[in-house]
Amino acid sequence: MNLNVSQNLFKGSARLAQAWRQALPALLLLLAWTLFLYRDTGIAMVTIWARSETFNHAFLVPPIVLWLVWRQRRLIQAQAPRPALGAMALIACAAFVWLLGDLVAVNAVTQLALVALLVLAVPAVLGWSVARLIIFPLGFLFFAVPVGEFLLPQLMEWTANFTVLALRLSGVPVYREGLQFVIPSGNWSVVEACSGVRYLIASLTVGTLFAYLNYQSAKRRILFVMVSIVVPVVANWMRAYMIVMLGHFSGNKLAVGVDHLIYGWLFFGVVIMLMFIIGARWAEPEKAADGRGLATTATHQQTVDVTRPWITTACFAALVAMPHLALWAIDRAEGDDPVSFTAPAALAENWQAVAPVGARFKPAFQNPSAEINNSYASQGSAVGLYLGFYQHQDYDRKLVSSSNVLVVSNDRQWAQVAGSSRPVKLGDKTVSVRAAELRGATLSAQGNPDRLVAWQIYWINGTLTTSDHLAKAYSALYRLSGRGDHSAVIVVYTRKDQPGGAEAVLQSFLSVNYAAINDLLTMQKNK
């Protein structure tokens, strides 16, 4: 009886070793093939890691993932790799998502899709039983994707709200407009570096790893991850308030310039260290792997099909190549026609070109294929018109981007102090536009700086929307259907003190001139 058990163990171990000798090379080859095909996406991701302090930590994510997988090696070795052909549906979805993201040049989408493909290669070649053993390391790999900066506007708004409220509760008088505010000792503003997004992303990454390594129950892990989200946000609010107070009481000799950043990181480091020290008090010891079950698993392996890993690899390789073939066909069909724009001397209803409205104002839309920034007047009312036309968009030239805004945060001439959306009548239909109020010069409790009211809307192959997400979706749909990626931003603006009211002037201008604007953009599309 013992001899039979020994023979079964030996045969099981031999079959297991044979299976891994087939599966590991297949997995490595598949990962290499995917990284080669999607090398531009991977290079773009690493470039962001290198240039952005917010994502410098991502360089550590791949080594940490490899270490976490290595910790599970004994349990992994005891499993027979069984390729999961069912994963091909998920792989096809991830590849299609990458195609959509690349069609509209959204880094976050293409990079998430690339990481998803790398993760799905594991169950595709090794099977779901192996993937379940390393589900956390595979999931942790998504922290390598530099995503999160979309939270900047909301985090900046929250930081400004808390800082102003705390200053008033402290007895400091505050005059606020937008993200800028004035206190008796000077002017302050909440910019991107004050948002706390760096602290939030770093805390979430490290906090998730800490929870996995120190807790065993899902409840404690989830709770600590939630804490690692809330703590850096609140800590950043306190940091911003204390920096303003330090500057206020020191006559702006402390917590300004480089000190501003140094004090911020020191405070954040102390807060996070305290969070980990407190969290460690409830740490749960890791359960030791039951070595007795390892050999038993090996004795029950079924016959190994040495060809199945390579069949799966071939299917996977074909699927991940398809988006590139589709993209090549779409780009070839669209051609590369040049774009030229000429501002008309007049629009409808006697709107004639005049001197610029709003000294030196120009919406901050980067690298358009062609643009117009002109002003028109009729019956004593003047309106500025900006058209930024985009064609053959890529990662360097695209309409919808975080860098394409009415006014950048460090603009020395203009600042956006309010924003909303409102319905506007264009002929027989009503559309929504983004409305913003812009203020010129530096904020002061005295004085009356120039103010503009601006409306913005996206034009995607004739379809109007104010939504960034819908603009991207329409663009992807039109490119997939062979209608190209012709897109534009329409911005109209006028002085707030216009006779009759700025909103009424802009409404009147768009109502009578949108048809001419649409014809001008359509003409570029049909060239």
Side-chain angles (χ1 to χ4, degrees), residues 448-477:
N448 187 24
D450 292 337
R451 292 177 183 268
L452 299 177
V453 174
W455 289 356
Q456 172 188 329
I457 193 167
Y458 294 128
W459 181 94
I460 315 295
N461 265 311
T463 301
L464 298 176
T465 181
T466 58
S467 168
D468 290 349
H469 299 97
L470 281 178
K472 289 291 190 182
Y474 284 135
S475 184
L477 176 62

Side-chain angles (χ1 to χ4, degrees), residues 383-522:
V383 173
L385 170 65
Y386 175 82
L387 300 178
F389 188 83
Y390 288 80
Q391 183 174 286
H392 309 305
Q393 298 178 58
D394 54 27
Y395 293 94
D396 296 320
R397 170 184 290 159
K398 53 184 175 180
L399 172 63
V400 181
S401 166
S402 59
S403 60
N404 284 348
V405 291
L406 288 177
V407 180
V408 295
S409 62
N410 59 353
D411 192 301
R412 296 186 178 183
Q413 299 296 327
W414 297 95
Q416 182 172 330
V417 297
S420 62
S421 63
R422 58 165 297 158
V424 173
K425 290 278 291 182
L426 294 180
D428 59 351
K429 60 182 178 180
T430 300
V431 300
S432 179
V433 298
R434 293 183 189 175
E437 182 177 335
L438 312 179
R439 174 187 43 76
T442 304
L443 178 62
S444 173
Q446 298 84 26
N448 187 24
D450 292 337
R451 292 177 183 268
L452 299 177
V453 174
W455 289 356
Q456 172 188 329
I457 193 167
Y458 294 128
W459 181 94
I460 315 295
N461 265 311
T463 301
L464 298 176
T465 181
T466 58
S467 168
D468 290 349
H469 299 97
L470 281 178
K472 289 291 190 182
Y474 284 135
S475 184
L477 176 62
Y478 288 135
R479 291 199 71 189
L480 282 174
S481 61
R483 287 181 279 179
D485 65 347
H486 313 287
S487 306
V489 61
I490 303 171
V491 179
V492 292
Y493 55 93
T494 190
R495 294 186 181 276
K496 188 177 181 181
D497 58 1
Q498 279 277 358
E503 289 78 8
V505 171
L506 293 178
Q507 171 67 79
S508 174
F509 177 83
L510 277 180
S511 296
V512 298
N513 291 304
Y514 175 72
I517 294 171
N518 183 64
D519 289 344
L520 186 63
L521 295 173
T522 303

Side-chain angles (χ1 to χ4, degrees), residues 42 74 111 136 224 235 254 333 358 372 413 422 426 500 525:
R74 291 189 64 207
Q111 292 165 9
F136 179 83
F224 191 85
L254 295 176
I372 289 175
Q413 299 296 327
R422 58 165 297 158
L426 294 180
K525 168 186 169 183

Side-chain angles (χ1 to χ4, degrees), residues 159 162-163 166-167 181 183 185 187-189 193-194 199 235-268:
T159 301
F162 179 87
T163 304
L167 287 170
F181 53 92
I183 60 177
S185 60
N187 297 357
W188 295 83
S189 62
C194 305
Y199 307 146
N236 182 65
W237 297 348
M238 295 299 300
R239 176 194 69 87
Y241 163 69
M242 289 189 295
I243 283 175
V244 174
M245 292 299 286
L246 279 172
H248 178 61
F249 287 119
S250 68
N252 292 323
K253 294 180 180 179
L254 295 176
V256 294
V258 177
D259 288 352
H260 185 112
L261 298 177
I262 293 175
Y263 292 162
W265 276 111
L266 285 175
F267 178 72
F268 173 72

Side-chain angles (χ1 to χ4, degrees), residues 82-103:
R82 301 181 187 283
L85 290 174
M88 292 303 157
L90 297 176
I91 293 162
C93 289
F96 183 66
V97 168
W98 180 89
L99 174 62
L100 293 178
D102 197 69
L103 285 174

Side-chain angles (χ1 to χ4, degrees), residues 353-371:
V354 294
V357 172
R360 297 180 295 279
F361 173 67
K362 177 177 176 294
F365 279 75
Q366 312 301 317
N367 200 22
S369 304
E371 63 181 347

